[in-house]
Amino acid sequence: MRYWHYLYPALPPFQGREQLRAGLGALLGISLCVFLVNLSSRMGVSSLYLIAPLGATAVLVFCVPNSPLAQPWSAVVGNVTAALVALIVVFTVPSPWSVGIAVGAAITAMMFLRALHPPGGAVALLTALNPSEPLEVGLLFAFVPVGLTTALLVIVAIAYNRASGRVYPFRQLETDITEEPALRLGLSTAQLGELLDRFNQSTNLGMADLGRLLAAAELEAAQHRFKGTTCADIMTIDLITAQPDMSVAEAARLFRSYAIKSLPVVDDARKLHGLVLQVDLLQTVAVQDRPVAWPQRPPRRRVSEVMRPAERIVSHDLPVGALLNRLAARGSEVVPVEREGQLVGIITRSDIMRLLLDGAEERMVA
């Protein structure tokens, strides 16, 4: 009896709102295709009609728009390829052998073109079982009605999913350059792809969404471990700062006197204007294009001329768990912390290391 659980539903319960969203989208998409077909028939275009596998395509593009099998390339190219292959098989292979060969060859062709789309198998089967109309239209059947109606359904799905808050087409790592590197967990595109291949999930999940799932899981774990800890709890508050009009020479003396690695640049209102790192001063005061025996005095430059822009600022009440990847993934050496527009502290890699090592001995014993 313990094996009966394998027969239980594998999908989690859908929320009522999600059921309504998907059902309404399919209704709109198929209805628009019906309208186009009826309009074309009144205009004397007999080659445009609906095919049953379009309903299966509607299930994918409206219910699981994040699946690689539901993406525009898979849907349009997959259905068109399946129809073309089935037509060629029907032309060359006698019945009843043409039916199985058409479906098998269509699946192979779709996989070769990286356009695997389950309704494509139904397109091939329908074409092989009822070849009279497709053969009458010829190879054009693959494009009208199959390709045209599939493309129309995909266009409706793109507009409807985005209007209802779903991402379709799904994100591609190669083009999604606006996302924070922290969401990638430091994993390359190839490494994410290897994870999907290892667990045979390449046809079920995109690499970008896998990266987001892994990052969300790590963030949840970090927040659970450091729950209640905010940036204000670990930041360095005794800051040595500079003002924009301070000379570079004065800033260099501050670095030597206090053995600091970064120098926030603020105005009288404690508003952060930028950061100066040791490497910035080294590049400024280094003697260039002169022999060592003929040093020259560093130019009288101001801190405002060499500082880095004030970026990646965090709020004092940001949970530490949300910050852990930033220093490593972005290569940041220091993260400014603000409260109500004023600089109140900075967080360095050393601060993060102290937090991670806090209680490490107790955890090892446990």
Side-chain angles (χ1 to χ4, degrees):
M1 295 297 293
R2 62 194 179 106
Y3 292 105
W4 278 103
H5 71 277
Y6 291 115
L7 302 179
Y8 296 166
L11 291 174
F14 290 99
Q15 299 180 358
R17 184 176 181 180
E18 179 62 16
Q19 296 172 19
L20 179 62
R21 187 203 65 79
L24 181 59
L27 184 152
L28 292 175
I30 295 297
S31 296
L32 188 57
C33 290
V34 171
F35 173 78
L36 179 63
V37 168
N38 291 337
L39 181 63
S40 64
S41 64
R42 294 180 182 179
M43 299 175 62
V45 180
S46 60
S47 61
L48 186 60
Y49 52 89
L50 292 181
I51 57 174
L54 204 62
T57 296
V59 172
L60 287 174
V61 299
F62 290 105
C63 296
V64 285
N66 281 344
S67 170
L69 302 175
Q71 301 315 300
W73 174 267
S74 297
V76 178
V77 176
N79 279 350
V80 169
T81 300
L84 284 173
V85 170
L87 283 170
I88 294 174
V89 171
V90 169
F91 271 122
T92 57
V93 179
S95 179
W97 312 110
S98 59
V99 178
I101 295 176
V103 175
I107 292 175
T108 302
M110 287 189 292
M111 294 180 71
F112 178 77
L113 295 174
R114 297 168 60 189
L116 187 61
H117 188 57
V123 170
L125 181 61
L126 177 67
T127 304
L129 288 176
N130 301 284
S132 56
E133 289 188 2
L135 288 176
E136 182 180 345
V137 178
L139 294 180
L140 183 63
F141 168 78
F143 301 96
V144 180
V146 175
L148 182 60
T149 53
T150 303
L152 178 61
L153 194 62
V154 165
I155 291 172
V156 175
I158 291 174
Y160 180 80
N161 280 312
R162 295 197 173 187
S164 59
R166 300 294 296 271
V167 178
Y168 181 77
F170 75 175
R171 312 166 182 93
Q172 294 281 0
L173 283 178
E174 292 79 6
T175 58
D176 194 10
I177 60 175
T178 60
E179 291 293 325
E180 293 187 3
L183 294 179
R184 296 278 300 276
L185 298 172
L187 297 177
S188 66
T189 301
Q191 290 170 324
L192 290 175
E194 289 172 1
L195 283 175
L196 289 174
D197 292 337
R198 185 189 308 171
F199 294 97
N200 296 320
Q201 294 297 313
S202 298
T203 58
N204 298 322
L205 188 66
M207 286 185 289
D209 287 314
L210 173 62
R212 285 172 175 78
L213 286 174
L214 293 176
E218 185 184 63
L219 179 58
E220 286 293 327
Q223 289 179 343
H224 178 73
R225 177 179 175 185
F226 304 113
K227 62 181 179 180
T229 304
T230 64
C231 290
D233 297 324
I234 67 168
M235 67 184 182
T236 301
I237 57 176
D238 298 327
L239 301 180
I240 306 300
T241 62
Q243 292 195 327
D245 59 351
M246 177 183 288
S247 69
V248 169
E250 291 179 273
R253 283 194 290 270
L254 289 177
F255 275 99
R256 288 197 302 269
S257 300
Y258 294 97
I260 55 179
K261 296 181 179 180
S262 62
L263 191 64
V265 182
V266 299
D267 57 22
D268 294 333
R270 300 289 294 182
K271 178 178 175 59
L272 182 66
H273 288 262
L275 288 169
V276 178
L277 304 183
Q278 287 182 343
V279 65
D280 301 323
L281 291 186
L282 289 175
Q283 292 174 349
T284 302
V285 302
V287 178
Q288 298 178 350
D289 300 325
R290 282 298 191 98
V292 177
W294 297 93
Q296 65 179 23
R297 297 184 61 186
R300 296 183 178 277
R301 303 182 65 183
R302 302 296 177 186
V303 166
S304 58
E305 300 177 53
V306 299
M307 68 182 183
R308 303 183 178 204
E311 298 176 340
R312 305 168 187 172
I313 303 172
V314 299
S315 174
H316 70 287
D317 56 358
L318 179 73
V320 168
L323 182 68
L324 289 181
N325 282 338
R326 182 170 300 193
L327 294 177
R330 283 189 157 183
S332 302
E333 295 186 19
V334 58
V335 176
V337 183
E338 284 190 346
R339 179 191 291 118
E340 297 179 355
Q342 292 185 328
L343 180 69
V344 293
I346 60 172
I347 296 176
T348 65
R349 294 178 181 178
S350 299
D351 297 321
I352 295 295
M353 290 300 299
R354 280 193 294 270
L355 176 67
L356 295 175
L357 293 175
D358 184 29
E361 294 182 0
E362 290 80 354
R363 290 194 296 273
M364 291 178 63
V365 172

